[in-house]
Amino acid sequence: PSSAILRTRAIEAGPMPTPDPFLFCVYHKDAYPEGPVGKSMEAPYPGNGQDFDPRAPYRMYHGRKIPGFPQHPHRGFETITATIEGIVDHADSLGNAGRYGEGDVQWMTAGKGVVHGEMFPLVNIDKPNHTRFFQIWLNLPKKDKMVEPSFAMFWANNVPKFVSEDGKANVTSWFGNYFLDPGTKQNIPPSNSWASDPSNDVAVLHIILQPGGKLVLPKANEEGVNRSLYLVEGFDFSVLIGGEPVQDKMVIDVDPSVDIELYLPESSNNGVEFLMLQGKPISEPVAQHGPFVMNTRAEINQAFDDYDKTQFGGWPWPSDEHVFPQEKGRFALLDGKETFPEDDGTCSLEDS
């Protein structure tokens, strides 16, 4: 029988290779210490503005006092921030904002242009502020690159989760029509997203296997999609993908037209974790420069010109590294209206 694995590539530090319609994916894992007493939420040492050291226990990224990514522009694609643990503070040029994490998903369509900041404040003073999350860029087709920006938050308690009968395999379905109980509705992305059309079969799954755990990844719902697995945790022992052992930090492109069994032998010392990215390719030229992704170089130059002229609406917050008060819990602020995880459902700009 032919292999279900089409190709494998080692994962290096930094952005991981992604299949069309995705553009970018980073697995962030930072062991931030306890925050300082006194509500500043700052890291113990200032950043140099360019701290991406993969060997350090944590990184400051572009942050100076607070780790993270101070205000910066985007145009022409979407950002999906899928969290596992820790807290992210979001603020943007539309005046929207949020504090989210611990399993929440934030989905932002940059469209014709938005400026946002994503900071990682050290909110806990009594315990470490460890963070783990994926930052994923999903492309927009040419016809939708200049749509109005929009934003959706999926609170963790509304994100579908699947657990196998023996409890040794579980899947968090951040997005996609996979591993859903009958009657479970998937969260709704912003309306101009490539993912909002079910025929594009976009899926973003977080898969965890414990020793002895087994999971059948069903074949894709649609033909002609790309499907990649990212083995990001627990690669000291072989995990079997379609019967073939994989034991390094790898991106594994798999055949989406067949069911694939994932199996972690009982003899493994600890569990493994995968991200799965899947979708129908957009199949258009990609011109990218820093924070802008368009179809041609001329459109990239236009994006820089537009940003110089308009700042995409400007930055309405007092600091480039804007964070919210330490005692404030998780929330989303959209069009001036605050919602919280306890509220029912997701919040998105389309609803308002």
Side-chain angles (χ1 to χ4, degrees), residues 11-27:
I11 293 176
E12 314 289 344
M16 303 183 285
T18 50
D20 185 359
F22 298 93
L23 296 161
F24 173 96
C25 179
V26 169
Y27 175 48

